[in-house]
Amino acid sequence: MLGSTTVEFGRSIEFSAVLHNRGDEPARVAIDYTVYHRKANGGQTGKTFKLATRTLERDEKLEVGREHSFRAIATRRYHPGMHAISVQVNGVESARAEFELLTESPAPKPERQ
């Protein structure tokens, strides 16, 4: 679940997911998320990040979430347009949730006195 379907350059997007162990035994889970960044040619490329490693007891639910920043950094160039996020549990990817990265809002003009 995404907190918003749009995010501006320099801002962050929030997302969360609920995991539920429906098995009969405790389950050890490695939870990651992948951000699919838009490339200059319009395609997408994924970058995976660690979220958590936990043991879920039988019938236990766990909500995980994160805020992912789109601030300018030296190692990545962001392109406006459609991006996506997915959560992975033990390497199995969920459906992608899409959002649009918007160009940076112009700074407000100072008021004249």
Side-chain angles (χ1 to χ4, degrees), residues 8-9 11 102-108:
E8 294 177 355
F9 280 108
R11 302 276 176 127
L102 305 173
T103 57
E104 195 168 15
S105 296

Side-chain angles (χ1 to χ4, degrees), residues 5-108:
T5 56
T6 61
V7 63
E8 294 177 355
F9 280 108
R11 302 276 176 127
S12 298
I13 191 163
E14 293 181 31
F15 66 94
S16 63
V18 176
L19 308 177
H20 183 190
N21 180 6
R22 293 188 175 120
D24 293 332
E25 308 261 334
R28 185 83 173 149
V29 292
I31 309 160
D32 304 318
Y33 71 99
T34 302
V35 178
Y36 291 91
H37 297 280
R38 182 182 171 100
K39 299 189 313 185
N41 68 5
Q44 290 183 338
T45 186
K47 170 72 175 151
T48 301
F49 302 89
K50 292 287 182 195
L51 257 178
T53 302
R54 299 274 192 281
T55 298
L56 294 180
E57 297 300 324
R58 182 175 163 247
D59 203 39
E60 183 180 359
K61 291 182 182 179
L62 172 68
E63 183 172 1
V64 294
R66 179 68 49 98
E67 187 174 291
H68 186 86
S69 175
F70 285 90
R71 285 181 317 207
I73 58 174
T75 57
R76 180 169 313 280
R77 182 169 179 195
Y78 296 113
H79 300 281
M82 295 308 292
H83 291 60
I85 291 180
S86 69
V87 174
Q88 295 179 36
V89 178
N90 294 341
V92 178
E93 186 175 35
S94 67
R96 294 181 188 185
E98 293 191 331
F99 62 94
E100 185 176 8
L101 183 62
L102 305 173
T103 57
E104 195 168 15
S105 296

